[in-house]
Amino acid sequence: NIFTLLLSIKTFSQAAAEMNITQSALSKQIAKLEQELGVFLFNRSHRQITLTNAGKQFLKRYRDFTS
């Protein structure tokens, strides 16, 4: 799952490399997910990403759904 991989790795570039896709492709996939949900899931910085409050709620629901 792109969302959880990005969360565990904390950077778009490293997550993209792990998935063997470009950083741009990963960013577009996350942007599409955020657009579909109508919220931002990640706070982005040059160093790493963190979850927004909406991202934390999404993670909880995702874990509840997949467990």
Side-chain angles (χ1 to χ4, degrees), residues 1 3 5-6 10 13-15 17-19 22 26 31-34 40 43 46 49-51 54 56-57 61 65-66:
N1 178 302
F3 176 76
L5 178 65
L6 182 55
K10 304 273 191 217
S13 59
Q14 289 179 349
E18 180 76 21
M19 298 177 66
T22 65
L26 176 59
K32 182 179 177 186
L33 176 60
E34 290 175 327
F40 289 106
N43 294 308
H46 294 289
I49 55 99
T50 57
L51 286 176
K56 291 174 186 175
Q57 292 175 353
R61 290 185 180 138
F65 181 76
T66 58

Side-chain angles (χ1 to χ4, degrees), residues 11-27:
T11 68
F12 277 83
S13 59
Q14 289 179 349
E18 180 76 21
M19 298 177 66
N20 295 317
I21 62 174
T22 65
Q23 183 177 344
S24 176
L26 176 59
S27 294

Side-chain angles (χ1 to χ4, degrees), residues 30-62:
I30 293 296
K32 182 179 177 186
L33 176 60
E34 290 175 327
Q35 185 178 18
E36 288 175 4
L37 296 172
V39 296
F40 289 106
L41 299 172
F42 296 100
N43 294 308
R44 295 156 173 89
S45 75
H46 294 289
R47 298 281 177 200
Q48 68 178 8
I49 55 99
T50 57
L51 286 176
T52 62
N53 286 336
K56 291 174 186 175
Q57 292 175 353
F58 181 78
L59 178 61
K60 181 182 181 327
R61 290 185 180 138
Y62 174 81

